[in-house]
Structures are given as structure tokens and as C-alpha cells.
Amino acid sequence: MSVRNKLRSKLLSAWIRPDVRRRSRDWHEARRRLAGRPHVITAFLQLDDPYSYLLAHYLPALADRYDVDLDVRLSEALGGGYRPAPDMQAEYALLDCTRLAAELGVPFLDQGSAPPVEHRTGLLDALAVRAADDGFAEEVFDVLAIYWRGDAGTAARRAEEGVPGVAAPVIAESQQRLARMGHYNSAMLHYGGEWYWGVDRLHYLVDRLDELGVARREGDNALLASIGQVMHMDLPVRPPAAASELPPIELFYSFRSPYSQICLPRVYALADAFGLDVVVRPVLPMVMRGEPVPPKKVRYIVRDAMREAETQGVPFGNAMDPVGDGVDRCHAVFAYAGTERRERDFVLNAAELIWAQAVDASTDAGMRKITAKTGLFWPEAKQAMEDDDWRETEAEDRQLMFSLGSWGVPTMCIGDFVVWGQDRVWLLARHIEELCDTCLLYTSDAADECP
């Protein structure tokens, strides 16, 4: 590993520590008080982004519950390296938000089978005309609901209120502000130097505002609290009998992905609870496939991953980035571990030692720590690292991942049900529960096996 990469790893690890986050929050709060400013939450929402719509559904409740100013910006996510495989991402976002909306009880495409994309430009222009008006936030929330509930008739009428061309500079200004503040995505909330994405990260902001004591009244807001209740994952104490008919969980995983490390122990815990096997399919990280990952995106991911790891109780944060030789060596030894039936032990140990104990997998000393903890014979592991046969398997697994409609890791599937991101382990669990229920119903009719 290069000196530059080691230094970068150490700096990132120091930057994401919880005590650094705490000091940053205290500093921003002190500055706010000294300046006599209100608590301001900036929301960057994109009309044709379903995650923005789901987030917007909860923002009135947030503004009502807390003594905050909500600054809503009509925006769009940045493209290029910030958004690989944009068509694939857009297709998955629609599927994911359809599932999320059903779980959360949020109306979604209930007035039409698709958003009225033919009126998108007109709706944006109609919103931009009112960008400086009081009540602009409510206008954005309303139009997002019209669009994502599929209300084509109302969309057509609202689009007529626009002035052609006025949306472009409004959105461009919001994108510039988004970039200056340090982000690149839509459905983002910013408060006091920290970013919160969509409904999945809203609870962090709620906890922070509660800690600051800015709630207008005692008790929880039922709507805001319902998100955590829906996304909570309860696992069975013992595997249900119906689960024995189910296929394994497949996990497309990267040794370099922080989110892969965070979901890994939960995927195994989920599989154990239902008595399922896990097939781990390691794929190369994007940067080693020639796809650039901008520094701004890296900084957000590792900081967000640190929060998630704390919440999930996963060791994380003292990392040594394995990019390059470290990743290659992990792939090679993983293939060898498979011949010894130690894939699970190896991948769990590699994740913890690399991402929580700063073990350098690109060196013999570092890899030897991982293989020793796994119980692998070092001379054979060292011999395996001289073999490139794993590359053919990696290429096949990567193509399989693409064929499933996913562009990156962690991707999890069981049968033809596919979810992307460590945020969706709970949704995978929910689907497995439904499969078990289906199997019970099916077998109760004297069928031989579960469909």
C-alpha cells in the first residue's frame, strides 16, 4: 500500500470518529447561538426523485414538532461520477420507493400507474416562479405529491402556471449551493454541518433536535416515530419450518465498501435466524473497475457509515483502505477459504480487522493476521495470493449483479427479490417472513413443496 493511501486512511479514520462529530456539533451550535440565528434545516428536493417525495411527506411534521426554520430548495442530484449507472439507479429507486411507501403507508402512484413525466418541465417551471414566495415549501410538497401519486390531470393544470425556462437557473443555483455545502445528492437534509439522506436518516436529525431541546411540546410525533417502527427488524428465536424450503441469501459484497462491512454481520444474523445459507459474491470496487468516486462522495459515505455502524453495533472506524493490492489479495484468499469451508469466517474477520483495527491487507503481516484468526494455513494462503483464477469468478458475479438490476454493493437477493444497500436488510427480512407465510399456506393445501 502506498504511503499516500495509508495517510489518507488515517486521516479519514480520525475525521469520522464519534468524538470529532460531537465537537463539530458543539461548534456549530455555539456559532449559531453567538450569531443569534434560528435553527435552520436546508432540504434539497428533486421533483423526479421518489426519495425526495417520501422525505417530503414527513417534513411538515418535522417543522411542526420542532422550533426550526425549514429552507426548501428545488434541486437535482449532481451527475457524472456522483451517479454511476443513472438509468439503473432510477429504475431501482422507483422499485425501492414503491416497496418503502407500501411499508410506511404513504400514498404512492395511487392515482395513476406512473408519474406524469410529460408535465415534469412545466411543473418545475411552475414551482420556480414561486421560489421566493412565502409558502414555497408547501408548494414543493404539494407538487411532489401530485407527481408521485400519478395525478396527471392536476399535473397538467399546475404545469400551465409555469413560465418556460425559469426552473433551470433556480435548480442550478441550488446545485451550486449543495456542492458548496459539501454534498451531491437529492432528498438531502442539512443541519449544523451534518447531512441526512431521506427517510432512512431522518431519525438521526430527530435525535439531534431532541438532544438540543428544541421540541415545541413533550412526547413523540406519531408520524415521525412510525418510520423507525416500520424499519425495525425482529428476527425469529428459532428458524420457522417453512424456511427450510427457501433458497440461500446471496450477497454481492466489496472488501472496500464501508456499507458492505456494516451489513455483513446482519445478513449472517438474518440467515441464521431463518436457517438459511449465505452465498457471498465478492466484486471489485468501482474505483478498481475504472469508475471514479469523487472525494466529496467518499467523505460523506465514510462519515455516514460511521453513524450507521454505531447504531448497528458493528465495529468500524479505525480503517486501512484495502484498495488495490489489499482487495486483490482478499479475493484470492476468499477463494482459498472456500475450499476449506471458511468463507464466512474469513469475510467476517477481514471486515473487522481491516475496517475496525486498521490491518493492512496489502501486506503479508496484515493478511497473516486475518488468516490466523480465520484458522487458515498461511503457506497455502500465500500460495493462493499468487493465483488469479478468482478474477474469472469475480467477473461472472459482477455480470450477475448487473443482470439483477444493481450497479453496486451491497446487493442482497433471495430468489428474484433484490434489494440494494445496507439500509434494506430489514426489508429483506420482511420478504423472507412473507415467503415463509406463503410456504405455510401452500403446504397446508397438501402441496409437495413451496413455490
mmCIF file with all atom_site columns, all heavy atoms in Angstrom, residues 112-124:
data_model
loop_
_atom_site.group_PDB
_atom_site.id
_atom_site.type_symbol
_atom_site.label_atom_id
_atom_site.label_alt_id
_atom_site.label_comp_id
_atom_site.label_asym_id
_atom_site.label_entity_id
_atom_site.label_seq_id
_atom_site.pdbx_PDB_ins_code
_atom_site.Cartn_x
_atom_site.Cartn_y
_atom_site.Cartn_z
_atom_site.occupancy
_atom_site.B_iso_or_equiv
_atom_site.pdbx_formal_charge
_atom_site.auth_seq_id
_atom_site.auth_comp_id
_atom_site.auth_asym_id
_atom_site.auth_atom_id
_atom_site.pdbx_PDB_model_num
ATOM 1  N N   . GLY A 1 112 ? -52.508 6.984  -10.488 1.00 0.00 ? 112 GLY A N   1
ATOM 2  C CA  . GLY A 1 112 ? -52.005 6.710  -11.835 1.00 0.00 ? 112 GLY A CA  1
ATOM 3  C C   . GLY A 1 112 ? -50.906 5.682  -11.737 1.00 0.00 ? 112 GLY A C   1
ATOM 4  O O   . GLY A 1 112 ? -50.268 5.545  -10.694 1.00 0.00 ? 112 GLY A O   1
ATOM 5  N N   . SER A 1 113 ? -50.669 4.958  -12.804 1.00 0.00 ? 113 SER A N   1
ATOM 6  C CA  . SER A 1 113 ? -49.684 3.874  -12.762 1.00 0.00 ? 113 SER A CA  1
ATOM 7  C C   . SER A 1 113 ? -48.249 4.344  -12.915 1.00 0.00 ? 113 SER A C   1
ATOM 8  O O   . SER A 1 113 ? -47.317 3.571  -12.734 1.00 0.00 ? 113 SER A O   1
ATOM 9  C CB  . SER A 1 113 ? -49.999 2.849  -13.857 1.00 0.00 ? 113 SER A CB  1
ATOM 10 O OG  . SER A 1 113 ? -49.962 3.469  -15.138 1.00 0.00 ? 113 SER A OG  1
ATOM 11 N N   . ALA A 1 114 ? -48.068 5.615  -13.273 1.00 0.00 ? 114 ALA A N   1
ATOM 12 C CA  . ALA A 1 114 ? -46.724 6.164  -13.461 1.00 0.00 ? 114 ALA A CA  1
ATOM 13 C C   . ALA A 1 114 ? -46.775 7.671  -13.210 1.00 0.00 ? 114 ALA A C   1
ATOM 14 O O   . ALA A 1 114 ? -47.830 8.302  -13.360 1.00 0.00 ? 114 ALA A O   1
ATOM 15 C CB  . ALA A 1 114 ? -46.218 5.891  -14.870 1.00 0.00 ? 114 ALA A CB  1
ATOM 16 N N   . PRO A 1 115 ? -45.644 8.282  -12.823 1.00 0.00 ? 115 PRO A N   1
ATOM 17 C CA  . PRO A 1 115 ? -45.638 9.744  -12.665 1.00 0.00 ? 115 PRO A CA  1
ATOM 18 C C   . PRO A 1 115 ? -45.834 10.411 -14.017 1.00 0.00 ? 115 PRO A C   1
ATOM 19 O O   . PRO A 1 115 ? -45.407 9.885  -15.052 1.00 0.00 ? 115 PRO A O   1
ATOM 20 C CB  . PRO A 1 115 ? -44.245 10.030 -12.087 1.00 0.00 ? 115 PRO A CB  1
ATOM 21 C CG  . PRO A 1 115 ? -43.405 8.859  -12.477 1.00 0.00 ? 115 PRO A CG  1
ATOM 22 C CD  . PRO A 1 115 ? -44.333 7.684  -12.505 1.00 0.00 ? 115 PRO A CD  1
ATOM 23 N N   . PRO A 1 116 ? -46.485 11.577 -14.046 1.00 0.00 ? 116 PRO A N   1
ATOM 24 C CA  . PRO A 1 116 ? -46.752 12.268 -15.317 1.00 0.00 ? 116 PRO A CA  1
ATOM 25 C C   . PRO A 1 116 ? -45.501 12.963 -15.846 1.00 0.00 ? 116 PRO A C   1
ATOM 26 O O   . PRO A 1 116 ? -45.373 14.193 -15.793 1.00 0.00 ? 116 PRO A O   1
ATOM 27 C CB  . PRO A 1 116 ? -47.852 13.258 -14.947 1.00 0.00 ? 116 PRO A CB  1
ATOM 28 C CG  . PRO A 1 116 ? -47.624 13.542 -13.504 1.00 0.00 ? 116 PRO A CG  1
ATOM 29 C CD  . PRO A 1 116 ? -47.105 12.276 -12.902 1.00 0.00 ? 116 PRO A CD  1
ATOM 30 N N   . VAL A 1 117 ? -44.584 12.189 -16.375 1.00 0.00 ? 117 VAL A N   1
ATOM 31 C CA  . VAL A 1 117 ? -43.294 12.724 -16.796 1.00 0.00 ? 117 VAL A CA  1
ATOM 32 C C   . VAL A 1 117 ? -43.431 13.768 -17.902 1.00 0.00 ? 117 VAL A C   1
ATOM 33 O O   . VAL A 1 117 ? -42.570 14.643 -18.057 1.00 0.00 ? 117 VAL A O   1
ATOM 34 C CB  . VAL A 1 117 ? -42.353 11.589 -17.257 1.00 0.00 ? 117 VAL A CB  1
ATOM 35 C CG1 . VAL A 1 117 ? -41.996 10.687 -16.094 1.00 0.00 ? 117 VAL A CG1 1
ATOM 36 C CG2 . VAL A 1 117 ? -42.984 10.771 -18.372 1.00 0.00 ? 117 VAL A CG2 1
ATOM 37 N N   . GLU A 1 118 ? -44.515 13.702 -18.675 1.00 0.00 ? 118 GLU A N   1
ATOM 38 C CA  . GLU A 1 118 ? -44.713 14.671 -19.744 1.00 0.00 ? 118 GLU A CA  1
ATOM 39 C C   . GLU A 1 118 ? -44.935 16.085 -19.213 1.00 0.00 ? 118 GLU A C   1
ATOM 40 O O   . GLU A 1 118 ? -44.767 17.066 -19.947 1.00 0.00 ? 118 GLU A O   1
ATOM 41 C CB  . GLU A 1 118 ? -45.895 14.248 -20.626 1.00 0.00 ? 118 GLU A CB  1
ATOM 42 C CG  . GLU A 1 118 ? -47.265 14.305 -19.957 1.00 0.00 ? 118 GLU A CG  1
ATOM 43 C CD  . GLU A 1 118 ? -47.598 13.038 -19.174 1.00 0.00 ? 118 GLU A CD  1
ATOM 44 O OE1 . GLU A 1 118 ? -46.672 12.255 -18.857 1.00 0.00 ? 118 GLU A OE1 1
ATOM 45 O OE2 . GLU A 1 118 ? -48.790 12.831 -18.889 1.00 0.00 ? 118 GLU A OE2 1
ATOM 46 N N   . HIS A 1 119 ? -45.276 16.197 -17.922 1.00 0.00 ? 119 HIS A N   1
ATOM 47 C CA  . HIS A 1 119 ? -45.516 17.513 -17.324 1.00 0.00 ? 119 HIS A CA  1
ATOM 48 C C   . HIS A 1 119 ? -44.377 17.933 -16.387 1.00 0.00 ? 119 HIS A C   1
ATOM 49 O O   . HIS A 1 119 ? -44.500 18.948 -15.696 1.00 0.00 ? 119 HIS A O   1
ATOM 50 C CB  . HIS A 1 119 ? -46.832 17.505 -16.549 1.00 0.00 ? 119 HIS A CB  1
ATOM 51 C CG  . HIS A 1 119 ? -48.034 17.189 -17.396 1.00 0.00 ? 119 HIS A CG  1
ATOM 52 N ND1 . HIS A 1 119 ? -48.377 17.938 -18.498 1.00 0.00 ? 119 HIS A ND1 1
ATOM 53 C CD2 . HIS A 1 119 ? -48.950 16.184 -17.308 1.00 0.00 ? 119 HIS A CD2 1
ATOM 54 C CE1 . HIS A 1 119 ? -49.465 17.423 -19.055 1.00 0.00 ? 119 HIS A CE1 1
ATOM 55 N NE2 . HIS A 1 119 ? -49.834 16.365 -18.360 1.00 0.00 ? 119 HIS A NE2 1
ATOM 56 N N   . ARG A 1 120 ? -43.297 17.151 -16.369 1.00 0.00 ? 120 ARG A N   1
ATOM 57 C CA  . ARG A 1 120 ? -42.200 17.442 -15.444 1.00 0.00 ? 120 ARG A CA  1
ATOM 58 C C   . ARG A 1 120 ? -41.652 18.852 -15.631 1.00 0.00 ? 120 ARG A C   1
ATOM 59 O O   . ARG A 1 120 ? -41.536 19.617 -14.665 1.00 0.00 ? 120 ARG A O   1
ATOM 60 C CB  . ARG A 1 120 ? -41.084 16.415 -15.634 1.00 0.00 ? 120 ARG A CB  1
ATOM 61 C CG  . ARG A 1 120 ? -39.826 16.710 -14.837 1.00 0.00 ? 120 ARG A CG  1
ATOM 62 C CD  . ARG A 1 120 ? -38.723 15.713 -15.154 1.00 0.00 ? 120 ARG A CD  1
ATOM 63 N NE  . ARG A 1 120 ? -37.470 16.132 -14.554 1.00 0.00 ? 120 ARG A NE  1
ATOM 64 C CZ  . ARG A 1 120 ? -36.618 16.984 -15.110 1.00 0.00 ? 120 ARG A CZ  1
ATOM 65 N NH1 . ARG A 1 120 ? -36.900 17.531 -16.308 1.00 0.00 ? 120 ARG A NH1 1
ATOM 66 N NH2 . ARG A 1 120 ? -35.492 17.310 -14.501 1.00 0.00 ? 120 ARG A NH2 1
ATOM 67 N N   . THR A 1 121 ? -41.313 19.219 -16.846 1.00 0.00 ? 121 THR A N   1
ATOM 68 C CA  . THR A 1 121 ? -40.724 20.540 -17.098 1.00 0.00 ? 121 THR A CA  1
ATOM 69 C C   . THR A 1 121 ? -41.688 21.656 -16.708 1.00 0.00 ? 121 THR A C   1
ATOM 70 O O   . THR A 1 121 ? -41.291 22.648 -16.071 1.00 0.00 ? 121 THR A O   1
ATOM 71 C CB  . THR A 1 121 ? -40.328 20.675 -18.575 1.00 0.00 ? 121 THR A CB  1
ATOM 72 O OG1 . THR A 1 121 ? -39.380 19.651 -18.899 1.00 0.00 ? 121 THR A OG1 1
ATOM 73 C CG2 . THR A 1 121 ? -39.706 22.042 -18.843 1.00 0.00 ? 121 THR A CG2 1
ATOM 74 N N   . GLY A 1 122 ? -42.947 21.508 -17.066 1.00 0.00 ? 122 GLY A N   1
ATOM 75 C CA  . GLY A 1 122 ? -43.928 22.527 -16.719 1.00 0.00 ? 122 GLY A CA  1
ATOM 76 C C   . GLY A 1 122 ? -44.115 22.671 -15.224 1.00 0.00 ? 122 GLY A C   1
ATOM 77 O O   . GLY A 1 122 ? -44.254 23.792 -14.702 1.00 0.00 ? 122 GLY A O   1
ATOM 78 N N   . LEU A 1 123 ? -44.113 21.545 -14.505 1.00 0.00 ? 123 LEU A N   1
ATOM 79 C CA  . LEU A 1 123 ? -44.242 21.596 -13.044 1.00 0.00 ? 123 LEU A CA  1
ATOM 80 C C   . LEU A 1 123 ? -43.041 22.286 -12.415 1.00 0.00 ? 123 LEU A C   1
ATOM 81 O O   . LEU A 1 123 ? -43.186 23.076 -11.461 1.00 0.00 ? 123 LEU A O   1
ATOM 82 C CB  . LEU A 1 123 ? -44.398 20.182 -12.484 1.00 0.00 ? 123 LEU A CB  1
ATOM 83 C CG  . LEU A 1 123 ? -45.733 19.487 -12.772 1.00 0.00 ? 123 LEU A CG  1
ATOM 84 C CD1 . LEU A 1 123 ? -45.677 18.023 -12.344 1.00 0.00 ? 123 LEU A CD1 1
ATOM 85 C CD2 . LEU A 1 123 ? -46.881 20.197 -12.041 1.00 0.00 ? 123 LEU A CD2 1
ATOM 86 N N   . LEU A 1 124 ? -41.845 21.988 -12.924 1.00 0.00 ? 124 LEU A N   1
ATOM 87 C CA  . LEU A 1 124 ? -40.650 22.651 -12.404 1.00 0.00 ? 124 LEU A CA  1
ATOM 88 C C   . LEU A 1 124 ? -40.713 24.157 -12.631 1.00 0.00 ? 124 LEU A C   1
ATOM 89 O O   . LEU A 1 124 ? -40.387 24.953 -11.740 1.00 0.00 ? 124 LEU A O   1
ATOM 90 C CB  . LEU A 1 124 ? -39.400 22.068 -13.067 1.00 0.00 ? 124 LEU A CB  1
ATOM 91 C CG  . LEU A 1 124 ? -39.004 20.650 -12.648 1.00 0.00 ? 124 LEU A CG  1
ATOM 92 C CD1 . LEU A 1 124 ? -37.872 20.120 -13.519 1.00 0.00 ? 124 LEU A CD1 1
ATOM 93 C CD2 . LEU A 1 124 ? -38.608 20.614 -11.178 1.00 0.00 ? 124 LEU A CD2 1
#
